[in-house]
Amino acid sequence: MIAIALKIRHALNKAFLRLKPTRTQIDAFKQHLRVLFSQINEQESEEFHKNLLAEFLKQTYYQPNYFINTKGRNDLVIHRDKTPQSPVAVLMETKKPTNHSEMPSPDNLNAKAFHELILYFLRERFTHNNLEIKHLIITNLYQWFIFEGSTFERIIAQNQELVSKFNDFEAGRLIDNRTEFFYKQIAEPWVAQSTAEIKFTYFDLRTYRTWVQSENKEDDKQLIPLFKIFSPEHLLHLPFANDSNTLDQDFYNELLHIMGLTEVQKGGKKLIERNQPKDRHPGSILENTITQLETLDKLNHLPNLEQFGDNPQEQLFGIALELTITWINRILFLKLLEAQLLQYHEGNAEYAFLSPNKIKNLGDLNSLFFQVLARKPQERNAEIRQDFEKVPYLNSALFEPTELEQTALFISNLQDNKSIPLHPQTVLKDRNGNRLVGKLPTLPYLLQFLDAYDFGAEGNEEIQEQNKTLINAAVLGLIFEKINGYKEGSFFTPGFITMYMCRETIRKAVLQKFNEVKGWRCQTFEDLYNHIEDRHEANEIVNSLKICDNAVGSGHFLVSALNEIIAIKNDLKILLDRNGKRLKEYH
């Protein structure tokens, strides 16, 4: 068997690796690691160290949501939830630190601990019919070997000869039924003879000891990959905080509050509606807009009013809502842009163009839309150029006045002197960490609310010092889709579903397309791979496919489709750069 050891960074989901842990999380993790190092006693037994490991995992991540204990002869297991009746998700084989003879090495796995892990996996997989094993681990608390469950499924569970011998052993049909017999007579020779490549994550915890003991906060960045490799998000394959499957409900609810809207359930759909009369606040963006539409008598001057409703009240709401959504779409997009600029320029505050010292009123916001972002720097007037010199030009229709703005209102037409009560569960806190209460002017409230979140989650490995909740582009896409689908009730399809749909459909379509164009009869991708000789022609065939998302919202499904096409080209070894050269090392 060919052992291929991966470093932690290569084993982690790339998006998860870029996700910033909070300072609180890292400090707690570091403290638990210090305790673990201090308690290791090489003179003590395997059982002693197994209990240390269980306590470390419970205290750091898994208690009270996941049950950790022994199971049968398994040294340690992590269950799928808090009950011992739930499926086992992680199998662990532990040794004491001084037991070198039974531990594998990064270049040779053929040792007793690996044989034991094979037996425990086969029992869990076939005897208990467990299809939910995510990871398998061998450790002596210092050295760690972490295997993907899918790797064991492919190499071990799908090996008919090995499984047949295991079944005979379990049924007592062999000359000996002791586990030592299985290790020496079945597992060891099979590992020695196997030519399969087996990848696993390998690290030695002792290499992190210096950073664990360090008081320099800069050194804590070195612990980020270690923090993530032990986490439920990795070991149990759980969605992580900024995954596109996850809506930050607190962010969404407070944003709707500032807009003057609420989400209601009607006939199985979630619809966005105007607040009930008792809950309406003149300072919310929607109500401020409705007031100005009425004051300026816009209903008597706008064409095609029927598209907004059947009566004046519906029409006022429809027009105000479309304008409100247009303005919020721009502001959310700009907050994401601002975060990327700040990250790229290492936090230079000059690039914080949505700050209260630059956006003092709604007129400034209107100027930012149309006199800054919609114009090249040399075309901006002198005053604007000075105030927003760090803001780039965006050649985007998002910053062109809409037809409705030109005939109805711009955001600068709203009244600046309006206030709004803070949301009961507002994210805003005072210096003592207590939730703010009372009222704020609407624009400062909106800017402070947005600033309370971190929109720059993706990037280098960093620690989120201010413990801000992360809002990334994928989560914003979800929110865009929900507020823009207010009439029909939008449904944001989770990433794992769009990926599965694309994988199942596009791969079949690619296979069918090659068979049609080339007259082949390929049944599998392996057949197709063996037939392809001309990479350029193969690219043209794949590129000739047309994919239509007729209900496109944020573009989430189409991004999954694009990702799948790239993966297909990679698997077929036809992925080329713009100059037609093959990309060999793309993962």
Side-chain angles (χ1 to χ4, degrees):
M1 183 169 285
I2 303 170
I4 302 177
L6 303 176
K7 294 181 179 179
I8 293 177
R9 283 182 175 82
H10 294 155
L12 290 168
N13 177 295
K14 298 303 178 288
F16 184 44
L17 184 60
R18 292 195 299 268
L19 185 64
K20 300 176 188 175
T22 66
R23 166 55 61 187
T24 301
Q25 290 172 324
I26 286 294
D27 285 348
F29 176 66
K30 188 174 180 180
Q31 182 57 35
H32 292 311
L33 273 178
R34 285 177 172 176
V35 171
L36 180 64
F37 274 122
S38 69
Q39 291 178 336
I40 292 175
N41 184 345
E42 296 186 359
Q43 307 306 314
E44 282 286 357
S45 65
E46 180 180 306
E47 188 73 15
F48 173 85
H49 290 94
K50 179 173 66 178
N51 291 332
L52 290 184
L53 176 58
E55 191 64 18
F56 166 73
L57 293 172
K58 289 176 184 177
Q59 294 297 325
T60 311
Y61 306 97
Y62 292 91
Q63 212 169 38
N65 297 320
Y66 304 97
F67 188 73
I68 299 180
N69 210 326
T70 59
K71 182 187 178 186
R73 294 183 63 88
N74 294 321
D75 286 346
L76 211 58
V77 300
I78 304 175
H79 287 262
R80 196 72 175 86
D81 63 32
K82 63 180 67 176
T83 66
Q85 291 77 32
S86 63
V88 169
V90 180
L91 290 169
M92 306 179 73
E93 174 60 29
T94 64
K95 300 294 180 186
K96 65 179 183 178
T98 54
N99 186 351
H100 304 296
S101 63
E102 296 184 357
M103 282 289 290
S105 66
D107 55 1
N108 182 13
L109 297 175
N110 208 357
K112 184 177 179 181
F114 188 61
H115 307 153
E116 290 172 310
L117 201 62
I118 290 173
L119 178 59
Y120 301 154
F121 168 75
L122 289 170
R123 282 177 170 165
E124 193 64 34
R125 173 67 176 81
F126 292 105
T127 306
H128 301 293
N129 196 30
N130 183 0
L131 302 177
E132 298 192 35
I133 302 170
K134 308 301 183 186
H135 281 95
L136 303 99
I137 297 173
I138 298 171
T139 182
N140 60 6
L141 268 71
Y142 289 142
Q143 292 179 290
W144 289 77
F145 299 76
I146 304 178
F147 302 85
E148 283 276 353
S150 57
T151 299
F152 265 55
E153 177 68 22
R154 176 174 52 85
I155 294 175
I156 295 172
Q158 299 301 322
N159 188 289
Q160 295 181 359
E161 180 185 358
L162 179 62
V163 172
S164 177
K165 288 182 178 178
F166 163 74
N167 288 332
D168 288 342
F169 170 76
E170 286 289 272
R173 291 191 289 266
L174 301 181
I175 195 170
D176 198 333
N177 62 0
R178 293 175 302 157
T179 54
E180 287 296 328
F181 175 82
F182 180 89
Y183 304 148
K184 297 298 293 183
Q185 302 302 320
I186 299 176
E188 184 176 343
W190 178 79
V191 173
Q193 294 167 13
S194 173
T195 58
E197 292 185 348
I198 184 165
K199 294 181 180 180
F200 55 93
T201 309
Y202 173 77
F203 58 93
D204 192 318
L205 204 58
R206 289 168 291 194
T207 61
Y208 292 87
R209 192 194 296 267
T210 300
W211 295 313
V212 170
Q213 301 300 337
S214 172
E215 297 298 335
N216 184 349
K217 288 190 179 296
E218 278 298 307
D219 288 341
D220 293 346
K221 293 178 184 178
Q222 304 297 330
L223 301 176
I224 293 175
L226 193 65
F227 168 78
K228 292 177 179 177
I229 203 74
F230 289 128
S231 69
E233 287 82 1
H234 178 71
L235 291 184
L236 302 184
H237 288 178
L238 300 181
F240 43 91
N242 77 333
D243 187 83
S244 58
N245 307 342
T246 307
L247 172 68
D248 189 293
Q249 198 65 45
D250 292 335
F251 177 86
Y252 180 56
N253 289 342
E254 191 161 6
L255 179 65
L256 288 182
H257 171 75
I258 296 170
M259 293 171 72
L261 299 166
T262 187
E263 187 176 73
V264 296
Q265 187 88 22
K266 286 190 177 179
K269 293 182 178 180
K270 290 183 176 180
L271 304 178
I272 293 176
E273 292 185 348
R274 184 181 183 181
N275 285 336
Q276 293 298 309
K278 64 182 179 62
D279 298 320
R280 293 173 189 169
H281 306 291
S284 71
I285 299 172
L286 181 80
E287 296 303 327
N288 197 342
T289 304
I290 288 175
T291 299
Q292 291 307 105
L293 288 170
E294 289 181 312
T295 301
L296 299 174
D297 194 24
K298 287 293 180 178
L299 289 189
N300 287 325
H301 298 87
L302 288 172
N304 304 318
L305 287 174
E306 63 277 0
Q307 66 178 304
F308 296 106
D310 297 329
N311 58 63
Q313 283 305 306
E314 287 184 4
Q315 290 162 1
L316 276 172
F317 171 67
I319 295 167
L321 181 57
E322 185 169 322
L323 289 168
T324 298
I325 289 173
T326 297
W327 299 329
I328 289 296
N329 280 348
R330 287 180 184 145
I331 292 167
L332 291 179
F333 176 84
L334 290 177
K335 195 63 186 177
L336 193 64
L337 172 66
E338 180 190 61
Q340 298 304 310
L341 288 173
L342 285 167
Q343 183 171 288
Y344 185 77
H345 293 282
E346 299 180 344
N348 186 339
E350 293 182 12
Y351 291 88
F353 58 83
L354 280 179
S355 62
N357 64 325
K358 292 186 182 295
I359 306 295
K360 300 180 179 67
N361 52 56
L362 293 169
D364 290 340
L365 197 57
N366 202 67
S367 297
L368 178 63
F369 290 163
F370 305 124
Q371 295 184 45
V372 180
L373 293 151
R375 296 188 183 183
K376 297 177 181 177
Q378 63 271 23
E379 296 173 355
R380 301 168 185 169
N381 68 50
E383 184 180 357
I384 288 292
R385 193 161 53 240
Q386 181 178 351
D387 291 343
F388 296 101
E389 63 176 336
K390 302 296 185 183
V391 182
Y393 161 64
L394 296 181
N395 184 15
S396 169
L398 185 62
F399 298 103
E400 294 175 2
T402 67
E403 184 178 341
L404 187 59
E405 282 179 305
Q406 291 174 329
T407 55
L409 297 174
F410 288 97
I411 197 168
S412 54
N413 294 124
L414 302 186
Q415 291 185 297
D416 269 310
N417 61 349
K418 298 291 185 180
S419 297
I420 183 174
L422 294 168
H423 189 272
Q425 300 300 317
T426 183
V427 69
L428 302 184
K429 305 287 197 314
D430 62 20
R431 292 182 178 179
N432 297 321
N434 299 316
R435 185 173 282 119
L436 289 181
V437 295
K439 288 186 174 185
L440 277 178
T442 307
L443 180 60
Y445 181 10
L446 175 62
L447 297 180
Q448 289 179 47
F449 160 71
L450 294 176
D451 198 50
Y453 289 86
D454 177 15
F455 289 80
E458 295 183 1
N460 297 328
E461 293 169 39
E462 299 286 346
I463 296 170
Q464 180 57 52
E465 298 291 348
Q466 296 174 296
N467 292 334
K468 292 182 179 181
T469 301
L470 305 171
I471 301 291
N472 75 341
V475 174
L476 273 188
L478 190 161
I479 290 170
F480 281 142
E481 193 158 293
K482 288 179 75 69
I483 65 174
N484 285 283
Y486 66 93
K487 290 181 180 178
E488 295 80 20
S490 64
F491 179 77
F492 187 82
T493 310
F496 71 91
I497 294 178
T498 60
M499 287 190 289
Y500 174 79
M501 290 167 63
C502 291
R503 186 173 302 118
E504 292 299 306
T505 56
I506 297 176
R507 286 183 179 256
K508 290 176 182 176
V510 167
L511 200 61
Q512 181 180 345
K513 193 73 174 180
F514 272 95
N515 287 341
E516 289 175 357
V517 173
K518 301 295 291 182
W520 296 337
R521 295 183 178 180
C522 297
Q523 298 296 316
T524 66
F525 252 60
E526 187 175 355
D527 292 341
L528 186 56
Y529 172 78
N530 290 328
H531 276 73
I532 291 175
E533 295 180 353
D534 188 330
R535 294 193 189 100
H536 293 274
E537 179 190 36
N539 264 274
E540 290 176 2
I541 293 172
V542 174
N543 293 348
S544 69
L545 287 171
K546 299 293 186 291
I547 299 170
C548 177
D549 178 5
N550 60 336
V552 64
S554 65
H556 183 215
F557 175 81
L558 291 174
V559 170
S560 292
L562 177 61
N563 288 341
E564 187 58 34
I565 290 171
I566 294 172
I568 287 169
K569 289 187 177 186
N570 180 67
D571 293 348
L572 295 175
K573 302 294 189 290
I574 63 169
L575 188 61
L576 308 177
D577 68 12
R578 67 179 62 191
N579 298 316
K581 295 181 180 179
R582 183 180 161 209
L583 293 169
K584 295 181 180 180
E585 302 301 330
Y586 191 90
H587 299 285

